[in-house]
Amino acid sequence: MRPENHNAERTPSAMERLARQESVLVMSDLNTASPTDIAAAGVSSALARAIALWQPYRCWDDLLLVSEIDEIVIDQLRQGGFEIGKPNDAAWVVPKPFKLSAA
């Protein structure tokens, strides 16, 4: 029977190292991310809600149109694992014409 040393550091197995590497490589699409996902990248919750409100984006420069977004925030999102995926143009609906009634 081998004595256990609970204070010794355990070296991660090959599977654990691979899982850790894969988690770093996974990218999230900013166009489908929730405000909670966006806030997890380190931006404020108010800014995360604003980013989610104006989805979808076609490129990173589109984010600069959102108030309080600058290059620093964009770098933070990129480092947080986000990418800009291709927006689904089929999901965009053309607004229907309407008339205002004088009541």
Side-chain angles (χ1 to χ4, degrees), residues 32-102:
T32 59
S34 70
T36 305
D37 296 335
I38 297 168
V43 300
S44 70
S45 59
L47 194 52
R49 285 191 304 270
I51 292 169
L53 177 69
W54 294 105
Q55 292 166 332
Y57 302 99
R58 295 190 179 276
C59 64
W60 287 106
D61 288 339
D62 286 354
L63 278 164
L64 295 172
L65 300 173
V66 178
S67 179
E68 299 181 27
I69 299 266
D70 57 12
E71 294 292 333
I72 295 169
V73 174
I74 291 175
D75 287 341
Q76 200 172 9
L77 291 169
R78 284 180 169 163
Q79 291 174 2
F82 284 101
E83 65 182 358
I84 303 283
K86 184 177 178 187
N88 182 1
D89 290 334
W92 291 12
V93 178
V94 177
K96 296 179 182 178
F98 64 93
K99 294 181 182 180
L100 296 176
S101 62

Side-chain angles (χ1 to χ4, degrees), residues 13-53:
S13 69
M15 289 301 288
E16 289 171 327
R17 286 192 306 270
L18 182 60
R20 193 175 307 135
Q21 287 174 351
E22 286 178 0
S23 68
V24 171
L25 298 176
V26 172
M27 300 293 280
S28 297
D29 185 359
L30 189 62
N31 286 327
T32 59
S34 70
T36 305
D37 296 335
I38 297 168
V43 300
S44 70
S45 59
L47 194 52
R49 285 191 304 270
I51 292 169
L53 177 69

Side-chain angles (χ1 to χ4, degrees), residues 1-9:
M1 187 172 212
R2 206 167 112 197
E4 290 185 33
N5 184 355
H6 293 288
N7 294 331
E9 285 188 38

